């Protein structure tokens, strides 16, 4: 049973525009949500995270929004750059203190120059 | 600072065989987690080791096992390989609890079972 879902397998955006990647979850006990980026032939790299007690976290061009009532989070990238083209995974940290991350299936972002 | 190193990068095995994969975490990191990535399933948590003890376990059959050594290096073993075990196996290291912090992933081992 997939507790973290990314329903869009792919997204294409023009360079300079905003990219919005979406993620839904089912388990209300998750206390942290994370975004990872993955290039081909590399392992995922951490991008940004948000605590369940916040609704927004910003780091440079990347902002994550959390809507707990809807069990939904999104990653905004502004402005999008060709180097942002990668697969983005949404992940959630499970029971308090545990290190098992629950991942979505990923969204492939293509930024068109 | 060296990153997470996984060996080998690629493996081809036959059904029924067993395989051992290795992960060397970042120096000073004591937690090592293993994940299986398959198309359409994303990354699925296998297990986590901390200070040579299994601390968490995912929902995988007993054919999947692991261990951690005193230098924090970890191995995972898959016995009686099945075709469905073909996947990218990733390990991640961290100091201790991730919570909202980052786990550092290796490049993975691509296992193909024929």
């Amino acid at each position: 049973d997939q507790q973290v879902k990314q329903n869009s397998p792919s997204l294409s955006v023009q360079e300079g525009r905003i990219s919005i990647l979406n993620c839904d979850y089912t388990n209300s006990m998750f206390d942290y949500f994370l975004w990872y980026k993955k290039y081909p032939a590399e392992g995922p790299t951490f991008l940004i995270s948000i605590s369940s007690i916040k609704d927004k976290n910003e780091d440079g061009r990347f902002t994550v929004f959390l809507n707990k009532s809807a069990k939904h989070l999104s990653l905004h990238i502004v402005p999008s750059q060709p180097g942002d083209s990668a697969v983005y995974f949404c992940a959630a940290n499970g029971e308090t203190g545990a290190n098992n991350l629950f991942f979505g299936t990923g969204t492939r972002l293509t930024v068109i120059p | 600072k060296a990153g997470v190193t996984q060996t080998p990068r690629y493996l081809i095995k036959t059904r029924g065989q067993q395989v051992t994969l290795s992960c060397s975490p970042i120096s000073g990191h004591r937690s090592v987690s293993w994940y299986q990535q398959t198309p359409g399933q994303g990354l699925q948590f296998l297990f986590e080791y901390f200070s040579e003890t299994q601390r968490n376990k995912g929902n995988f059959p007993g054919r999947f096992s692991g261990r951690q050594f005193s230098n924090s290096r970890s191995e995972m073993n898959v016995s009686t390989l099945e075709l469905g075990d073909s996947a990218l196996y990733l390990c991640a290291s961290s100091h201790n609890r991730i919570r909202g912090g980052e786990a550092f992933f290796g490049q993975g081992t691509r296992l193909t079972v024929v």
Side-chain angles (χ1 to χ4, degrees):
Chain A
D1 181 33
Q2 198 78 23
Q3 298 190 51
V4 178
K5 298 178 184 177
Q6 294 175 260
N7 293 318
S8 298
S10 62
L11 174 69
S12 291
V13 171
Q14 288 290 134
E15 181 179 3
R17 305 294 291 268
I18 183 172
S19 295
I20 300 176
L21 296 98
N22 294 303
C23 178
D24 297 296
Y25 62 95
T26 57
N27 189 341
S28 58
M29 299 302 291
F30 288 143
D31 54 0
Y32 281 94
F33 301 91
L34 307 91
W35 286 93
Y36 281 81
K37 179 167 76 171
K38 187 178 186 300
Y39 293 116
E42 293 184 15
T45 55
F46 173 78
L47 202 54
I48 191 170
S49 67
I50 187 168
S51 163
S52 60
I53 63 173
K54 296 189 174 182
D55 55 19
K56 177 182 173 181
N57 188 27
E58 192 171 354
D59 184 3
R61 297 186 297 114
F62 302 91
T63 303
V64 57
F65 295 93
L66 175 62
N67 182 334
K68 283 188 69 177
S69 60
K71 294 192 176 67
H72 177 85
L73 66 155
S74 60
L75 174 68
H76 292 211
I77 306 173
V78 184
S80 300
Q81 299 173 353
D84 296 329
S85 296
V87 177
Y88 289 78
F89 289 96
C90 169
N93 204 333
E95 69 253 43
T96 302
N99 267 10
N100 51 316
L101 294 173
F102 293 83
F103 280 87
T105 51
T107 296
R108 181 177 301 279
L109 173 66
T110 302
V111 180
I112 304 163
Chain B
K1 191 175 184 180
V4 179
T5 304
Q6 290 189 246
T7 56
R9 291 291 310 279
Y10 302 92
L11 264 179
I12 300 176
K13 289 285 187 178
T14 305
R15 249 185 326 175
Q17 287 186 312
Q18 74 153 18
V19 68
T20 299
L21 313 181
S22 179
C23 172
S24 293
I26 290 171
S27 178
H29 285 189
R30 295 164 66 191
S31 168
V32 175
S33 298
W34 288 88
Y35 291 85
Q36 180 195 66
Q37 184 186 5
T38 54
Q41 288 289 318
L43 282 77
Q44 310 245 301
F45 173 76
L46 281 153
F47 30 65
E48 182 216 357
Y49 285 86
F50 181 81
S51 292
E52 302 178 65
T53 301
Q54 188 181 87
R55 189 159 67 172
N56 289 298
K57 188 177 189 305
N59 192 23
F60 277 81
R63 300 186 297 108
F64 292 82
S65 63
R67 59 177 175 168
Q68 187 179 34
F69 302 95
S70 58
N71 62 357
S72 293
R73 188 178 71 87
S74 177
E75 289 181 346
M76 69 162 280
N77 185 78
V78 189
S79 63
T80 321
L81 284 165
E82 301 177 358
L83 296 178
D85 296 333
S86 295
L88 179 68
Y89 290 88
L90 292 156
C91 81
S93 81
S94 62
H95 283 290
N96 189 356
R97 301 297 186 184
I98 296 173
R99 299 180 71 80
E102 55 185 308
F104 295 84
F105 282 85
Q107 291 181 289
T109 295
R110 171 79 57 187
L111 172 65
T112 302
V113 182
V114 297

